[in-house]
């Protein structure tokens, strides 16, 4: 059966208005296919894939904000047609590696597991893995319609903080998903999109996650970008998006993660000191996917760090609302202390923490973030979303002694067995100079977890008593 779309007014008008060439994308595809003549574990395969990526992109497509397109835009229609083809392939054969179902299942395999061997979340692998995931899908979509000018889009929720109409309309729209819990007019709370702490993070580990533990000995720790706006918006949407098991089946996943991929580039551009890791254990890490024809491929992180070499770029890196109310760097809109109605308070102090964790003494003058740790098993339900506040001293909350720290979501890990990922939560929180000084002075801190109500989920009435919180400084 020929899946290529070769006619139609929309298709022709899109081609006339697009000035991209096809040579570079074809070179990438050909390289990936030829590289699979050996098993994916053969080291020779990786070199061939690397050469194909690095030499291929004389043509670069531009990924754009999907909310900026008219619902009948020919470029958007091309994307819908391609997704529809992948869906039909899965209807015919659910295990088709170029189909929509198998693409979603791939995310389940590497994101909904407690197996250290496979899990890419809670570590510094999360952003390069998802970039590669989106890129391989883009190749399959391009191949499905025979059009290398097709580009995945991103959903810039700072400019359009509700589900774009491009993802709505019912089952006749291939980008629609009926499990989402939000209503069309629901607005994402501004603090759910709070990017400032991640954008200001000095180190990649704080922004993007910690190294993968050697042989599973040690914790997997995600970065502030993952546990804040990434998780928050997954949870806010609800349905399949509110967990790792089925998120990859909802087309809005790719708009959301396209925006997260865009944010990674924005973080690098925000400060000349921001750098990706240089360790070989990161650069040489191999991810396994399938190419546009379903052939297995292995791709190293070092080969996906330049998006233009992959064949795409972003229309812009501006993460600010058009009305100026939301500013990604300045955090103008944050919850006030008046919202503190905490269901549980845990008392601790820097001195107590040092006794528990034996934190190495560091220069507090250079500390910008605190890493909180507590037990995941204490959470009454998941996904769990909360606003976190620091309260200093023993007094009741006031503007002077209560500080909003951030809004975080803990997404569920599904497993029949207990494991490290199910036991502990590590949470990066940004601290200002005044907070840093008060911590350095040994002032007592109480940590407020204020659960956030989202549509379709209930907050339990029983108090949340979080114990054994410890701190370290980063």
């Amino acid at each position: 059966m020929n899946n290529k779309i070769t006619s139609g007014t929309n298709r022709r008008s899109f081609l006339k208005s697009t000035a991209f060439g096809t040579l570079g994308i074809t070179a990438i595809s050909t390289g990936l296919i030829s590289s699979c003549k050996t098993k994916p574990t053969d080291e020779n395969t990786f070199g061939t894939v690397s050469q194909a990526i690095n030499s291929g992109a004389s043509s670069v497509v531009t990924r754009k904000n999907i909310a900026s397109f008219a619902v009948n835009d020919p470029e958007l229609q091309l994307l819908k047609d391609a997704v529809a083809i992948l869906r039909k392939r899965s209807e015919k054969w659910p295990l088709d590696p170029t189909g929509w179902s198998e693409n979603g299942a791939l995310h389940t395999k590497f994101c909904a597991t407690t197996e250290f061997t496979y899990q890419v979340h809670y570590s510094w692998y999360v952003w390069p893995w998802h970039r590669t995931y989106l890129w391989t899908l883009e190749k399959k979509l391009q191949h499905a319609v025979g059009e290398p000018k097709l580009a995945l889009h991103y959903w810039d929720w700072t400019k359009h903080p509700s589900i774009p109409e491009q993802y709505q309309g019912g089952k006749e729209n291939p980008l629609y998903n009926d499990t989402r819990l939000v209503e069309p007019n629901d607005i994402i709370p501004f603090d759910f999109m709070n990017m400032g702490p991640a954008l200001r993070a000095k180190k990649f580990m704080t922004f993007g996650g910690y190294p993968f533990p050697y042989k599973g000995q040690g914790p997997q720790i995600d970065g502030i970008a993952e546990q804040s706006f990434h998780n928050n918006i997954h949870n806010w949407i609800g349905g399949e998006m509110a967990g790792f098991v089925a998120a990859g089946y909802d087309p809005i996943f790719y708009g959301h993660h396209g925006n997260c991929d865009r944010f990674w580039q924005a973080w690098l551009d925000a400060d000349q000191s921001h750098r990706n890791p240089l360790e070989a254990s990161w650069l040489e890490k191999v991810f396994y996917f399938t190419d546009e024809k379903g052939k297995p491929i292995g791709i190293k992180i070092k080969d996906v760090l330049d998006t233009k070499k992959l064949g795409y770029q972003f229309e812009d890196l501006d993460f600010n609302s058009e009305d100026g109310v939301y500013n990604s760097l300045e955090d103008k809109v944050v919850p006030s202390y008046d919202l503190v109605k905490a269901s549980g308070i845990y008392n601790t102090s820097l001195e107590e923490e040092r006794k528990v964790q034996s934190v190495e003494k560091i220069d507090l003058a250079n500390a910008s973030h605190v890493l909180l740790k507590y037990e995941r098993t204490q959470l009454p339900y998941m996904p769990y979303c909360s606003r976190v506040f620091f309260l200093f001293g023993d007094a009741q909350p006031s503007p002077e002694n209560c500080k909003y720290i951030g809004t975080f979501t803990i997404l569920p890990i599904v497993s029949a067995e207990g494991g490290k990922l199910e036991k502990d939560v590590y949470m990066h929180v940004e601290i200002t100079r005044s907070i840093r000084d008060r911590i350095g002075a040994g002032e007592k801190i109480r940590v407020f977890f204020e659960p956030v109500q989202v549509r379709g989920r209930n907050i339990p009435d029983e108090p949340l008593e979080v114990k054994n919180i410890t701190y370290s400084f980063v």
Side-chain angles (χ1 to χ4, degrees):
M1 181 178 67
N2 185 2
N3 286 323
K4 294 184 179 181
I5 297 176
T6 57
S7 62
T9 303
N10 285 346
R11 170 68 185 274
R12 287 195 296 271
S13 62
F14 169 66
L15 294 178
K16 289 179 181 178
S17 64
T18 308
F20 301 127
T22 61
L23 177 60
I25 302 297
T26 303
I28 292 178
S29 302
T30 303
L32 291 179
I33 295 169
S34 65
S35 74
C36 296
K37 294 179 180 179
T38 57
K39 295 180 180 179
T41 53
D42 189 328
E43 191 67 26
N44 293 328
T45 300
F46 310 144
T48 305
V49 172
S50 300
Q51 293 168 9
I53 293 175
N54 291 328
S55 65
S58 60
S59 172
V60 179
V61 301
T62 300
R63 295 185 182 176
K64 304 172 184 177
N65 181 15
I66 195 169
S68 68
F69 286 89
V71 292
N72 60 348
D73 186 282
E75 189 172 343
L76 178 63
Q77 186 60 48
L78 187 65
L79 175 66
K80 292 180 178 180
D81 291 340
V83 172
I85 290 173
L86 267 60
R87 289 188 180 278
K88 289 180 180 178
R89 289 174 180 171
S90 296
E91 291 175 4
K92 183 177 180 181
W93 182 37
L95 298 182
D96 186 339
T98 65
W100 190 258
S101 293
E102 273 299 283
N103 185 74
L106 189 63
H107 182 268
T108 306
K109 175 70 174 178
F110 290 97
C111 300
T113 176
T114 56
E115 291 289 337
F116 282 96
T117 306
Y118 301 112
Q119 179 60 256
V120 296
H121 282 271
Y122 310 99
S123 75
W124 61 354
Y125 294 144
V126 63
W127 300 124
W129 187 91
H130 282 84
R131 170 172 289 180
T132 312
Y133 182 50
L134 266 63
W135 179 73
T136 54
L137 175 62
E138 189 172 64
K139 298 296 107 184
K140 292 172 183 175
L141 294 171
Q142 290 173 348
H143 190 263
V145 293
E147 184 48 74
K149 299 172 186 178
L150 180 150
L152 276 178
H153 304 310
Y154 56 84
W155 166 31
D156 186 346
W157 11 261
T158 64
K159 295 180 178 61
H160 195 97
S162 59
I163 300 294
E165 61 178 337
Q166 291 79 0
Y167 290 111
Q168 300 180 37
K171 293 185 178 181
E172 65 276 9
N173 180 4
L175 305 184
Y176 174 74
N177 182 289
D178 61 5
T179 71
R180 300 169 194 156
L181 297 180
V182 291
E183 298 293 340
N185 295 325
D186 286 350
I187 302 297
I188 302 172
F190 277 119
D191 61 301
F192 276 40
M193 302 183 290
N194 190 357
M195 301 180 187
L199 201 58
R200 291 186 291 267
K202 298 176 182 179
K203 302 175 182 178
F204 181 89
M205 288 190 298
T206 307
F207 155 75
Y210 278 55
F212 197 76
Y214 180 68
K215 292 185 178 180
Q217 301 301 310
Q220 286 185 245
I221 304 177
D222 50 345
I224 196 169
E226 180 181 349
Q227 62 197 203
S228 57
F229 59 82
H230 165 265
N231 287 2
N232 290 341
I233 293 173
H234 263 282
N235 184 42
W236 177 81
I237 294 171
E240 291 182 336
M241 277 289 284
F244 294 131
V245 173
Y249 297 98
D250 187 341
I252 204 170
F253 172 96
Y254 304 95
H256 175 45
H257 264 277
N259 208 36
C260 292
D261 186 38
R262 178 171 166 250
F263 183 83
W264 180 10
Q265 187 61 52
W267 178 80
L268 288 169
D269 290 358
D271 191 293
Q272 61 181 2
S273 67
H274 292 178
R275 294 287 185 272
N276 287 322
L278 298 176
E279 290 87 342
S281 58
W282 192 75
L283 294 171
E284 299 295 326
K285 172 68 176 178
V286 179
F287 298 133
Y288 296 103
F289 291 89
T290 54
D291 69 7
E292 62 269 33
K293 291 191 175 181
K295 302 290 184 64
I297 54 173
I299 303 176
K300 292 184 178 182
I301 287 179
K302 68 180 182 181
D303 292 317
V304 300
L305 299 181
D306 187 331
T307 66
K308 289 186 178 180
K309 288 183 178 179
L310 287 176
Y312 73 91
Q313 62 186 357
F314 299 107
E315 187 173 35
D316 64 63
L317 298 175
D318 177 18
F319 287 87
N320 301 296
S321 62
E322 294 175 353
D323 59 10
V325 174
Y326 179 82
N327 184 296
S328 59
L329 186 59
E330 296 180 8
D331 303 338
K332 292 180 180 179
V333 183
V334 297
S336 70
Y337 82 99
D338 290 324
L339 291 177
V340 176
K341 302 173 183 176
S343 58
I345 302 174
Y346 178 73
N347 298 306
T348 188
S349 70
L350 177 63
E351 188 61 33
E352 290 171 341
E353 184 276 332
R354 284 177 175 167
K355 291 178 182 177
V356 173
Q357 204 175 1
S358 299
V359 175
E360 180 181 355
K361 186 177 181 180
I362 67 169
D363 182 6
L364 274 178
N366 294 322
S368 61
H369 290 72
V370 170
L371 186 62
L372 299 178
K373 174 189 174 184
Y374 60 94
E375 293 181 13
R376 182 184 295 267
T377 54
Q378 298 174 62
L379 299 177
Y381 60 95
M382 287 196 292
Y384 176 78
C385 180
S386 68
R387 295 185 172 107
V388 180
F389 294 81
F390 277 4
L391 177 61
F392 292 90
D394 295 314
Q396 291 299 310
S398 70
E400 290 72 33
N401 69 354
C402 188
K403 170 65 177 176
Y404 167 77
I405 297 298
T407 304
F408 302 91
T409 294
I410 310 302
L411 294 176
I413 290 291
V414 179
S415 174
E417 300 178 357
K420 295 182 185 301
L421 286 174
E422 293 179 311
K423 177 176 173 52
D424 295 321
V425 173
Y426 291 83
M427 179 182 293
H428 287 92
V429 298
E430 185 183 40
I431 56 173
T432 62
R433 177 176 296 180
S434 62
I435 291 178
R436 185 177 61 205
D437 292 343
R438 298 178 80 165
I439 292 175
E443 196 166 347
K444 180 185 290 186
I445 303 171
R446 286 181 284 173
V447 182
F448 279 72
F449 290 86
E450 173 60 24
V452 182
Q453 178 71 65
V454 290
R455 186 180 292 279
R457 270 64 59 83
N458 294 320
I459 295 176
D461 295 331
E462 65 271 14
L464 172 61
E465 185 179 4
V466 180
K467 301 178 179 179
N468 300 324
I469 294 181
T470 57
Y471 299 82
S472 58
F473 297 94
V474 292

